[in-house]
Amino acid sequence: MTTVTTAPPFADAPRPRAWASGLGEFAAVGGLTPFLYPLSWILRKAFDLEPTEYIISFAMFAAAFVINDPHFAVTYFLFYKNIRARAFGNEFSATQKIRYWLAGFVAPVGLIAWGISALVLRSAYSMGLMIQLMFFLVGWHYVKQGFGVFSVLSARRGVRFDKAERWAILGHCYAGWMYAWATPRDIGHTSSEKGIWYVTLPHPRGLDQVATVLFLATIPPLVWVFVSKWKRDGRLPILTPLTALLCSVWPWLIFSNADPLLLYMIPALHSIQYLYFVWLLEGNKAREREGPPHFERSATSRLLGLAVSALALGWFFFHIGPEIFDTLIGSRLAKGELDPIGPTPCFAALFAFVNIHHYCMDAVIWRRENPETRYLQVQRNRPA
């Protein structure tokens, strides 16, 4: 999710259930995270790390079928709906239309060509570069989503930030991303992802120190923004928006390795945060359109259809599809020889493709230039 500044809520649309403005929203956007640290400590003390880590990793693997995988898949339904109006019509402005073409057509064609060439050439090096690009961009994706969630939730509470304040907050997010990626310094090491063995690109000397200094330098402006906001307006979006922002930057990214059990849960927490906003966007839109003058099918059936579709597409992306491709294509390309690119190269290529393309599409869907983001502001009660 990227930066969003939405229009004022429309007056006549049906409202979401009240729980979404309170404890449920807090938990969905990251509020569970602080409570998972003591829970992890209790589990490790009671059952030791190794058996507990095995159980948690297995549970998160199973949860990915209904949380992580659909969170990737649903992006395709959000992005490519109304494709003709968005790509050729008047639904998007000229600038947003360029973004839509780049994310929706240029990026996937380039990524597909990259993956196919790596498969045909049996190049673990080329595939490794694609995987490293995925890992580099995932931090950008996390902090942009955190900032977008913070912006929307603050606006829903009547708290807005001027341009300088927004850049101070966003600067901290970006610096946190670079700090997490650059430290500790990587001098180049052998790594494996989805069966692909590759050597990482070494970081330039001094990059970790520069990233550390820049990150620390963004903390005082961040504190200044909130202190000055409190002095000027007398209140802050303290609880839910700040929790969403800080969890996305600090425990989910910078200190993701701080707890051995929470490390397995972070992708699910990030995905729940994302799916909650999909529910807000699509749910509010569906509730508006089930009444006059549209009289379309019920919001429940629309949301259920979207959920089932996302589950099915996620299953294909990360389970059925890779198995089919690696069985029918990967083995043939290897020609019966020892495969230098590993046993599941198609899985690695598809995994990297879906992740990177997801980041690109998100940078378009959740911008304020998308007129549908107005649905994110609809609410019944003032949340906490």
Side-chain angles (χ1 to χ4, degrees):
M1 180 177 293
T2 189
T3 309
V4 178
T5 303
T6 53
F10 45 86
D12 298 327
R15 309 302 190 186
R17 295 179 182 177
W19 72 267
S21 299
L23 185 60
E25 182 172 79
F26 175 76
V29 300
L32 290 176
T33 306
F35 301 99
L36 292 177
Y37 284 104
L39 178 61
S40 172
W41 183 84
I42 292 172
L43 291 174
R44 285 184 280 116
K45 286 295 182 180
F47 304 105
D48 293 330
L49 174 59
E50 186 173 350
T52 309
E53 186 174 19
Y54 175 80
I55 294 173
I56 294 297
S57 64
F58 182 80
M60 291 300 103
F61 173 79
F65 285 80
V66 295
I67 301 176
N68 303 47
D69 299 348
H71 124 272
F72 286 105
V74 75
T75 309
Y76 284 86
F77 296 104
L78 299 181
F79 188 90
Y80 286 108
K81 67 180 180 182
N82 304 328
I83 184 172
R84 179 176 297 180
R86 292 178 171 185
F88 303 102
N90 298 321
E91 182 169 337
F92 285 161
S93 65
T95 303
Q96 182 73 349
K97 193 177 295 184
I98 292 173
R99 295 191 188 100
Y100 189 79
W101 273 88
L102 290 175
F105 304 101
V106 177
V109 169
L111 290 170
I112 290 171
W114 188 349
I116 291 177
S117 66
L119 290 171
V120 172
L121 297 175
R122 315 309 292 169
S123 174
Y125 175 78
S126 179
M127 191 69 72
L129 291 177
M130 191 174 182
I131 292 170
Q132 289 177 81
L133 176 62
M134 175 189 69
F135 284 132
F136 174 71
L137 291 177
V138 69
W140 171 75
H141 174 65
Y142 268 48
V143 300
K144 288 287 281 184
Q145 177 169 307
F147 179 73
V149 170
F150 169 80
S151 299
V152 171
L153 295 183
S154 296
R156 284 165 62 88
R157 287 152 177 78
V159 179
R160 299 183 182 276
F161 297 86
D162 61 32
K163 187 175 181 180
E165 292 169 337
R166 290 170 63 85
W167 273 110
I169 300 169
L170 190 57
H172 180 72
C173 294
Y174 282 147
W177 161 42
M178 292 307 299
Y179 174 78
W181 179 75
T183 57
R185 183 188 175 211
D186 185 359
I187 61 175
H189 69 281
T190 301
S191 185
S192 175
E193 181 68 28
K194 302 299 180 286
I196 303 293
W197 286 94
Y198 61 94
V199 178
T200 61
L201 296 174
H203 292 175
R205 185 180 299 274
L207 177 63
D208 52 340
Q209 289 93 336
V210 172
T212 301
V213 170
L214 289 176
F215 173 65
L216 294 176
T218 64
I219 296 178
L222 181 72
V223 175
W224 171 82
V225 165
F226 294 122
V227 171
S228 61
K229 189 75 172 176
W230 176 74
K231 288 183 177 180
R232 183 173 68 249
D233 299 342
R235 65 191 184 97
L236 280 174
I238 285 293
L239 186 59
T240 304
L242 274 179
T243 298
L245 176 74
L246 297 178
C247 283
S248 298
V249 178
W250 287 74
W252 295 359
L253 187 61
I254 296 174
F255 298 114
S256 59
N257 292 318
D259 187 279
L261 299 185
L262 192 66
L263 181 63
Y264 293 99
M265 306 178 196
I266 289 173
L269 293 170
H270 165 82
S271 299
I272 291 171
Q273 184 187 72
Y274 185 88
L275 290 173
Y276 173 70
F277 270 70
V278 173
W279 177 82
L280 280 181
L281 181 73
E282 292 299 305
N284 288 331
K285 180 181 177 181
R287 279 183 283 271
E288 180 196 46
R289 298 188 69 85
E290 70 180 353
H294 307 285
F295 296 106
E296 297 180 357
R297 60 194 179 99
S298 69
T300 301
S301 64
R302 290 172 67 97
L303 291 174
L304 182 60
L306 180 63
V308 172
S309 299
L311 283 167
L313 186 59
W315 185 283
F316 174 80
F317 276 154
F318 300 105
H319 304 281
I320 300 298
E323 185 174 346
I324 293 174
F325 295 146
D326 278 319
T327 300
L328 300 181
I329 300 175
S331 60
R332 292 182 181 178
L333 290 174
K335 297 179 180 178
E337 302 173 359
L338 181 62
D339 196 346
I341 202 172
T344 54
C346 293
F347 184 20
L350 189 57
F351 183 80
F353 167 83
V354 171
N355 273 267
I356 298 172
H357 194 206
H358 170 71
Y359 310 153
C360 295
M361 292 187 292
D362 264 4
V364 176
I365 294 173
W366 303 103
R367 293 188 67 89
R368 62 180 177 270
E369 290 84 355
N370 180 1
E372 288 194 349
T373 56
R374 70 189 179 99
Y375 291 107
L376 295 175
Q377 286 284 36
V378 183
Q379 57 181 332
R380 182 189 296 271
N381 300 320
R382 182 174 297 275

